[in-house]
Amino acid sequence: MTKTTLNWAVLGTGVIANQMAQALQEMGRSLYAVGNRTHEKALAFAEKYGVEKVYDQFEEMFTDPEVDVIYLTTPHNTHYGFMKKALEHGKHLLVEKSITLNSRELEDMAALAEEKGLVLAEAMTIWHMPLYKKLWNIIESGRLGKVQMITANFGSFKDYDMTNRFFNMNLAGGALLDIGVYALSITRSFMSSQPDQILSQMRPAPTGADEQASILLMNRDGQMAALALSLHSKQPKRTVISCEKGYIEIMEYPRADKAVIVDAETGAAEEICEGSTASALRYEMEDMEAAILSGDTSVLKLELSRDVMSIMTRLRKEWGMKYPGEEW
């Protein structure tokens, strides 16, 4: 008998894990299992969300035959090791961004997932928001002409606490993997091919992690992009997709549910509303389940995650910014 309901387990009990448990509740379901390095945190989380199973040792999640799919929400420097264990034990995987530290790790894991016949995906909200599915269709239709230029900003002001994950090299800190992954993902999703010309400037924090960066991209089709990232200054999360016949402006783009399309000739503005920001994790999980149950993984856009990862890896190599113990 083919399974129609999947058992989800979550590793980690932070903000994303809480949102994920809430999203499952919205779907009329509950989380099957939770694991955390600190057992007490896992117990408290389980009580809050009515989770059936709490592991004494979180590693038991990987071998539990009842678990179908694991959502990995731990810091990104831990992803590779956990992904390997989960895939080796036959678990489908949805992994919080940034999915791995570098392309070598991601290619390794993509090959392992394929070998085991498992679904691996990055929990990148941009791939799953209904707004973007609609906007990609509009671009595809040719209504706005060719995409010519994309600009994307993302800036947060984080205090110089060098022990937190934002600036800590031991926790794979820095703007690129934390917020740049969103700017690069939205950019790549509106480009017709992978950028092959890449220029950048980077300013390090006192720890050596990238605190601020500007990135220029161009692909073989002549489409260009300019990205501005900062972890020590506030910027709007704003992106503009400039096309021949108009432009699309999107605010709060990581989980956007509305965009404005401005006509190049008339200046008329049309608001496009689709989906809901609050349901971002629900969309991710619904797409993940559909991919596992149908076998059609195209909606998960792993090939775009791989493209984004290759850009980030190339940039960090150019910057000489290698994490402790990292192999690239």
Side-chain angles (χ1 to χ4, degrees):
M1 196 180 91
T2 314
K3 203 162 186 179
T4 53
T5 308
L6 300 170
N7 279 343
W8 283 86
V10 66
L11 187 56
T13 55
V15 175
I16 296 290
N18 277 269
Q19 291 176 356
M20 179 254 188
Q22 289 157 19
L24 265 179
Q25 285 179 337
E26 267 179 50
M27 291 156 75
R29 312 251 303 277
S30 55
L31 195 53
Y32 167 71
V34 60
N36 192 285
R37 283 185 194 280
T38 314
H39 188 53
E40 292 70 38
K41 283 185 182 173
L43 283 171
F45 185 93
E47 198 170 315
K48 186 175 177 182
Y49 295 109
V51 181
E52 193 176 319
K53 193 158 193 175
V54 182
Y55 302 103
D56 294 333
Q57 304 293 323
F58 70 84
E59 290 90 350
E60 292 167 21
M61 178 182 294
F62 304 125
T63 53
D64 183 348
E66 292 302 311
V67 170
D68 298 306
V69 52
I70 296 174
Y71 194 148
L72 203 53
T73 71
T74 55
H76 31 242
N77 60 307
T78 62
H79 289 180
Y80 182 73
F82 291 153
M83 287 164 76
K84 201 167 193 287
K85 281 181 186 154
L87 291 169
E88 280 170 347
H89 289 100
K91 309 302 178 200
H92 300 292
L93 268 182
L94 184 59
V95 186
E96 195 44 42
K97 56 84 208 163
S98 158
I99 185 167
T100 55
L101 294 185
N102 57 48
S103 285
R104 182 197 68 85
E105 290 186 351
L106 181 51
E107 293 311 315
D108 270 7
M109 291 301 98
L112 181 58
E114 196 169 334
E115 179 196 316
K116 299 277 187 185
L118 295 165
V119 175
L120 169 65
E122 180 173 42
M124 170 47 67
T125 48
I126 287 161
W127 305 154
H128 307 288
M129 296 305 289
L131 177 73
Y132 294 121
K133 295 178 182 184
K134 184 161 189 173
L135 293 175
W136 297 328
N137 283 337
I138 289 172
I139 293 295
E140 196 72 21
S141 75
R143 179 185 135 191
L144 295 173
K146 183 184 166 187
V147 172
Q148 300 282 48
M149 167 74 85
I150 298 168
T151 55
N153 294 64
F154 197 138
S156 304
F157 178 81
K158 305 293 182 193
D159 284 317
Y160 271 154
D161 171 1
M162 295 305 159
T163 58
N164 74 19
R165 70 178 182 85
F166 298 109
F167 299 112
N168 189 330
M169 287 292 282
N170 293 317
L171 296 176
L176 188 64
L177 262 59
D178 194 64
I179 59 178
V181 67
Y182 285 115
L184 285 165
S185 294
I186 196 159
T187 298
R188 178 64 190 90
S189 80
F190 282 97
M191 282 182 142
S192 52
S193 60
Q194 170 74 331
D196 54 358
Q197 294 184 50
I198 303 173
L199 294 168
S200 71
Q201 294 173 312
M202 184 273 276
R203 188 179 81 200
T207 54
D210 58 311
E211 170 190 310
Q212 194 158 289
S214 52
I215 302 163
L216 296 175
L217 308 167
M218 186 157 87
N219 64 12
R220 62 173 181 267
D221 306 310
Q223 295 173 318
M224 301 166 77
L227 281 53
L229 310 172
S230 178
L231 278 181
H232 206 55
S233 66
K234 188 68 185 160
Q235 292 182 68
K237 298 183 190 77
R238 174 178 181 260
T239 190
V240 177
I241 320 295
S242 305
C243 308
E244 294 164 316
K245 300 175 188 172
Y247 65 83
I248 306 169
E249 182 177 31
I250 309 157
M251 300 301 290
E252 298 297 326
Y253 62 82
R255 297 184 177 190
D257 53 15
K258 70 169 186 259
V260 176
I261 299 181
V262 178
D263 184 278
E265 269 185 46
T266 65
E270 174 196 357
E271 192 170 74
I272 306 276
C273 298
E274 201 73 33
S276 158
T277 294
S279 299
L281 268 81
R282 179 177 180 165
Y283 301 133
E284 284 184 346
M285 292 162 73
E286 286 173 344
D287 278 353
M288 182 70 177
E289 290 199 339
I292 292 168
L293 296 170
S294 72
D296 177 6
T297 59
S298 58
V299 72
L300 301 175
K301 301 203 177 296
L302 185 65
E303 74 288 350
L304 294 191
S305 289
R306 290 161 92 160
D307 282 356
V308 168
M309 185 57 68
S310 75
I311 296 169
M312 296 198 297
T313 304
R314 175 170 160 178
L315 286 168
R316 285 200 302 111
K317 282 180 176 176
E318 286 172 6
W319 301 341
M321 196 189 115
K322 196 176 191 177
Y323 293 116
E326 180 184 10
E327 288 177 41
W328 60 25

